[in-house]
Amino acid sequence: MRQLAVPADTRPDPVRLAAIMTVSGFEELNSSYNARTCRAEVVASASRATVTYGITQSEGVQGWYVIELQNASSPNVQMLIQEVRGAYAGF
C-alpha cells in the first residue's frame, strides 16, 4: 500500500504508514501461474476506498514481486491517495 503514500521509487516508513491508514478485508479475486489480482479496504482519516491491485512474481528471482494499483484513477482512490500523501508528508 506504499503506492498510496509515496512515489513508486520511494520506500516509506512502515511505522508512519501504520499510524496513517488501516488495511483490511484482503481478498484474492483472480490468480494464475505467477500473477494475482486482489483487493482490500483502506481507511485513512475520513477517506475509505476499495483498492484493487495486481501482484506479479518474477519467474527467475525468488521473492521478487511487482505490485501495481489497478484502480488508481477511481475518484475514491484518488481522494484517498491525496489524504494519505498529505498526512504522510505532515507526519
Side-chain angles (χ1 to χ4, degrees):
M1 297 298 146
R2 70 184 179 106
Q3 294 174 0
L4 297 173
V6 295
D9 60 346
T10 304
R11 181 171 286 275
D13 176 4
V15 174
R16 287 170 67 182
L17 282 182
I20 293 167
M21 66 183 188
T22 58
V23 182
S24 63
F26 291 98
E27 180 181 5
E28 185 176 289
L29 304 175
N30 184 342
S31 66
S32 64
Y33 170 67
N34 66 334
R36 298 177 192 277
T37 302
C38 304
R39 74 174 160 215
E41 290 293 319
V42 181
V43 177
S45 190
S47 294
R48 172 187 291 269
T50 300
V51 176
T52 305
Y53 54 97
I55 304 169
T56 306
Q57 182 179 8
S58 172
E59 296 235 3
V61 182
Q62 184 177 5
W64 185 81
Y65 299 89
V66 173
I67 301 172
E68 180 180 14
L69 284 174
Q70 295 184 336
N71 64 335
S73 61
S74 155
N76 287 347
V77 174
Q78 282 294 309
M79 188 181 331
L80 181 73
I81 289 171
Q82 289 177 5
E83 186 164 331
V84 169
R85 289 190 177 181
Y88 188 85
F91 190 78

